[in-house]
Amino acid sequence: MSNHAWILLGFFLVVLLLTVKPMGTYIANVMEGRFRFAGKIESPIYRLCGIRQDEEMGWLKYAFAILLFNVLGALAVYALQRLQADLPLNPQAFANVSPDSAFNTAISFATNTNWQGYGGEATMSYLTQMLALAVQNFLSAATGIVVVIALIRGFARHTAKTVGNAWVDLTRITLHILLPISIVYAVFLTSQGVIQNFDAYKDVTTLEVTSFETPKVDDAGQPLKDEKGAVVTEPVQTQTQTLAMGPIASQEAIKMLGTNGGGFLNANSAHPFENPTPLTNFIQMLSIFLIPAALCFTFGRMVGDTRQGWAVLAAMTLMFVALAYAAMHFEQQANPLLTQLGVDASTGNMEGKETRFGIAESGLFATITTLASCGAVNSMHDSFTPLGGLVPLIDMQLGEVVFGGVGTGLYGMLVFAIMAVFIAGLMIGRTPEYLGKKIEAFEMKMVSIAILVTPLLVLVGTAIAVMLADGRAGIANPGAHGFSEILYAFTSAANNNGSAFAGLSANTPFYNVMLGIAMWFGRFGVIVPVLAIAGSLAAKKRIAVGAGTLPTHGPLFVTLLIGTVLLVGLLNYVPALALGPVIEHLVLSAAH
């Protein structure tokens, strides 16, 4: 790995770790009701909505409130898409979104996945972008955070029947954390050149005539293929370029801070209107990890032992460094077949990279966004080398627990922590304990569901897509890479990431429905068991630390936790990975 890559990675880690304690302390103060001005700001909202601030909920009622909140959010997003042609703030006069695409997008943004089978600047009106997508970016992010706060309360409380009030928690997260930071962030982005307006799109004349090949499409908008399965193209020339306008900065801020990832523009953070400078690129990467890292300290603070939070953060950081190194290293290796054609090997694999950022920034961004269930991209993962593309796949298949999404990463890692102490208990013949709570049959059943639901969705969904003609029809690159595209799509959807191997044409009724199902159950099939664990732990008595208690704040536990994530989380996918990026790498090496 180059010296520049090491410096970039080291500087990123230093800045990130400096934010952990102040941000984590602030979140803990907000969620424990110690924020000084909270009462004056929140009280009118509670009165207006009929919320009883002091009335807490058991885990079942809390889970029902979260589900209801997100179902209503998904319905609102669906309705706005289906009616946008008749609504204001639509200067390009975009038509209503098709039912299957609207269904997929509504679930996508409600589940914090932000998978996009459409091109944002060619599909969504400004009103839909703001009132549906940007608003849901706030609410889905708040959902993830409040679930992990409920789980932390389960560890912190004893002989309690409640885990908090979902409506109060959602209000506090949105008002005091997501909204104020996003406002400042959006102002910063506009100062760097991210646009924010309501203008109609602008047609400009370019200095040169642009010639390119574009796929021929059929009446359904799908690429035509020849008898060998290759996409048929036709030459096109133009000297006119349409520049998209819109309220981009305001959506970009929460897109990154809330680990949402859905871009206003189709090119996402590779587009200069979303990510114009090296500074914005660095801040965007930092903002993706900002809240997930800080929540580790919040966890330690709320359970009364900050060492516990630092131990979890250490496990996340060690895995992140290893994966970031792998991504940047593999992308700095040139494609041997292109080298034979005369391409300069010293530049590495620049295919699909923005020249403004280069390989190190692209590899690091790809690692961060796929570890954090964000899905924003500043390069095209489909153009990575086989092993370079393997890294984002592994990032997601670990369960999005290495920092992970806001809230989701920490509660996923705590699920693995429970599994780790259970394994340790079996090894020494003792009842497993974590943070003074016995881990018993009910908790392990819920842990098993939370860990297994995502691999089930990914592998079954991929198998169905490969077997059916509707699934194979979307593949632009037949062979191992085409399989990787499908595997990546279901991995991204079920893990609520949202990034894609863009060679797959996924905006079809088949993929919109299948991926929508994977996103919904990948989100709430984990949230409900996690809340059940929270309720069960909160009701337990706290037991004293004994001579046989496994310390969960030292290097031994960090090692055990990493091993559990790798062995229990990743091994489910090894056969599928062997059929995709691994065999593609072997074929590439053989051809060389």
Side-chain angles (χ1 to χ4, degrees):
M1 196 165 75
S2 67
N3 290 335
H4 169 65
W6 279 117
I7 293 170
L8 175 65
L9 178 58
F11 183 66
F12 175 83
L13 281 174
V14 169
V15 176
L16 176 67
L17 294 175
L18 287 175
T19 67
V20 167
K21 185 174 180 178
M23 187 66 188
T25 302
Y26 177 67
I27 295 174
N29 288 339
V30 168
M31 299 315 296
E32 292 178 332
R34 293 199 297 264
F35 183 53
R36 184 176 177 183
F37 303 105
K40 294 181 180 179
I41 300 172
E42 297 169 16
S43 295
I45 297 174
Y46 297 149
R47 288 196 297 269
L48 179 65
C49 299
I51 297 171
R52 298 177 180 176
Q53 182 179 356
D54 298 326
E55 184 179 293
E56 291 204 346
M57 304 173 176
W59 79 265
L60 197 57
K61 187 175 181 181
Y62 199 103
F64 177 78
I66 292 296
L67 286 170
L68 176 63
F69 181 70
N70 283 275
V71 167
L72 294 176
L75 290 174
V77 175
Y78 180 84
L80 285 166
Q81 292 177 88
R82 297 290 293 137
L83 299 171
Q84 74 173 9
D86 300 316
L87 296 173
L89 291 177
N90 187 7
Q92 299 305 116
F94 288 137
N96 296 330
V97 181
S98 66
D100 59 290
S101 182
F103 166 80
N104 181 277
T105 304
I107 291 179
S108 178
F109 279 77
T111 57
N112 201 245
T113 309
N114 297 57
W115 171 273
Q116 295 174 290
Y118 59 89
E121 66 269 47
T123 308
M124 301 296 184
S125 70
Y126 293 165
L127 184 70
T128 303
Q129 293 273 21
M130 292 187 302
L131 192 56
L133 308 187
V135 168
Q136 203 57 47
N137 282 349
F138 282 95
L139 303 182
S140 64
T143 297
I145 298 173
V146 302
V147 170
V148 77
I149 294 297
L151 179 58
I152 293 171
R153 290 188 184 123
F155 286 112
R157 296 178 177 182
H158 58 93
T159 61
K161 296 181 179 180
T162 61
V163 293
N165 185 311
W167 309 118
V168 172
D169 290 343
L170 288 166
T171 302
R172 287 177 173 170
I173 287 293
T174 305
L175 279 182
H176 306 312
I177 298 172
L178 298 178
L179 191 58
I181 298 176
S182 294
I183 291 172
V184 175
Y185 193 179
V187 172
F188 161 76
L189 291 173
T190 56
S191 75
Q192 294 295 300
V194 178
I195 65 174
Q196 179 78 11
N197 59 47
F198 292 101
D199 297 344
Y201 292 5
K202 300 184 185 300
D203 291 326
V204 297
T205 302
T206 57
L207 296 177
E208 297 179 350
V209 176
T210 302
S211 301
F212 58 94
E213 296 282 332
T214 185
K216 288 186 177 182
V217 296
D218 56 23
D219 293 338
Q222 297 302 306
L224 294 173
K225 298 182 180 180
D226 60 22
E227 63 278 2
K228 296 182 178 179
V231 176
V232 179
T233 62
E234 56 184 348
V236 176
Q237 287 189 332
T238 182
Q239 200 171 356
T240 301
Q241 181 179 1
T242 300
L243 299 180
M245 298 286 109
I248 296 178
S250 55
Q251 184 163 324
E252 187 75 11
I254 186 59
K255 156 195 159 183
M256 310 308 291
L257 183 68
T259 62
N260 296 283
F264 192 102
L265 304 170
N266 192 36
N268 208 282
S269 287
H271 198 293
F273 284 179
E274 289 198 24
N275 189 9
T277 68
L279 179 59
T280 60
N281 191 65
F282 182 84
I283 296 299
Q284 287 190 10
M285 290 190 291
L286 182 66
S287 61
I288 294 172
F289 272 3
L290 178 66
I291 294 177
L295 281 169
C296 294
F297 187 84
T298 302
F299 163 62
R301 172 79 176 265
M302 291 180 67
V303 299
D305 185 355
T306 56
R307 297 175 301 173
Q308 303 294 336
W310 289 118
V312 172
L313 182 63
M316 292 179 175
T317 303
L318 289 171
M319 286 188 281
F320 161 63
V321 170
L323 291 163
Y325 169 83
M328 290 188 281
H329 171 75
F330 291 137
E331 287 308 294
Q332 285 171 343
Q333 312 305 308
N335 185 319
L337 299 184
L338 295 179
T339 302
Q340 291 176 4
L341 298 175
V343 176
D344 184 4
S346 65
T347 61
N349 178 39
M350 279 298 294
E351 181 187 342
K353 312 291 191 304
E354 259 293 311
T355 54
R356 293 176 297 135
F357 304 132
I359 289 175
E361 284 80 355
S362 299
L364 182 59
F365 198 111
T367 305
I368 291 170
T369 194
T370 48
L371 284 174
S373 79
C374 179
V377 294
N378 75 346
S379 60
M380 297 301 106
H381 298 178
D382 195 43
S383 295
F384 279 26
T385 63
L387 294 183
L390 174 67
V391 176
L393 261 172
I394 289 175
D395 293 344
M396 294 183 291
Q397 290 170 351
L398 288 173
E400 302 283 22
V401 298
V402 182
F403 293 99
V406 285
T408 63
L410 180 57
Y411 69 61
M413 185 59 92
L414 292 177
V415 165
F416 276 109
I418 294 172
M419 174 65 77
V421 297
F422 176 76
I423 293 172
L426 291 178
M427 293 170 65
I428 62 175
R430 285 181 57 88
T431 302
E433 305 168 11
Y434 189 46
L435 301 181
K437 300 295 181 72
K438 285 187 177 182
I439 305 303
E440 298 175 302
F442 179 79
E443 288 79 31
M444 291 314 302
K445 289 176 183 177
M446 295 300 104
V447 164
S448 299
I449 293 172
I451 290 176
L452 293 176
V453 66
T454 305
L456 183 67
L457 291 167
V458 172
L459 297 175
V460 171
T462 300
I464 292 173
V466 169
M467 289 189 297
L468 298 182
D470 287 343
R472 297 193 301 271
I475 299 175
N477 304 282
H481 192 77
F483 177 81
S484 295
E485 290 172 349
I486 294 177
L487 177 64
Y488 194 107
F490 280 95
T491 300
S492 178
N495 285 283
N496 303 131
N497 183 272
S499 64
F501 265 18
L504 183 70
S505 298
N507 193 13
T508 64
F510 173 81
Y511 278 111
N512 282 331
V513 172
M514 287 290 292
L515 294 175
I517 293 171
M519 287 185 281
W520 185 263
F521 287 101
R523 175 76 159 180
F524 298 104
V526 177
I527 282 179
V528 172
V530 166
L531 289 174
I533 294 169
S536 177
L537 293 176
K540 291 177 180 286
K541 294 180 180 180
R542 184 176 290 114
I543 57 178
V545 175
T549 301
L550 173 69
T552 54
H553 56 263
L556 176 62
F557 179 72
V558 170
T559 304
L560 179 62
L561 181 55
I562 293 173
T564 303
V565 172
L566 294 176
L567 293 174
V568 178
L570 185 59
L571 279 183
N572 296 300
Y573 299 100
V574 169
L577 292 173
L579 293 173
V582 174
I583 198 171
E584 186 182 359
H585 173 72
L586 296 175
V587 170
L588 180 65
S589 299
H592 172 54

